[in-house]
Amino acid sequence: KEELQCVVSGEVVPIATAGRVEINARGLEGGVVPNINDAAVLGANGKVTGVAYSALSAEQKDAVVGKFIGTGIRVSQQSPDGHAGVYAKLQFSV
């Protein structure tokens, strides 16, 4: 199970509640990279989006999961890279 990174139905699943992760364009709402220091807000279909703290609505304030602390771009080398493209680094705390 560890090699496949899976669990059997009914088992407890550990969930990260704090830390830093990199999210590629597929995990960002609309594939748009947020600005650094934007609040990370839950979006549709499990994606996140960045919103300036001063522009957060009341509903969005309840959906903040952290803040974006960096952005970048990953370039494919000689072979195709499924993670190539833009990404954002998220400092999250739930």
Side-chain angles (χ1 to χ4, degrees):
K1 292 188 307 185
E2 285 184 32
E3 289 178 12
L4 296 174
Q5 297 181 358
C6 68
V7 295
V8 177
S9 180
E11 284 187 328
V12 175
V13 179
I15 298 174
T17 57
R20 294 181 179 169
V21 295
E22 291 180 358
I23 303 173
N24 71 9
R26 289 177 286 205
L28 299 168
E29 192 76 32
V32 177
V33 176
N35 294 317
I36 295 173
N37 290 322
D38 274 358
V41 178
L42 296 175
N45 300 321
K47 297 184 180 190
V48 293
T49 188
V51 179
Y53 280 95
S54 60
L56 286 171
S57 69
E59 294 82 23
Q60 289 173 326
K61 287 180 182 177
D62 292 334
V64 171
V65 294
K67 78 175 185 177
F68 290 100
I69 59 172
T71 61
I73 188 163
R74 180 172 165 157
V75 180
S76 291
Q77 297 297 321
Q78 296 172 350
S79 60
D81 185 348
H83 300 289
V86 296
Y87 68 90
K89 184 168 272 199
L90 169 62
Q91 171 83 39
F92 72 99
S93 58
V94 180

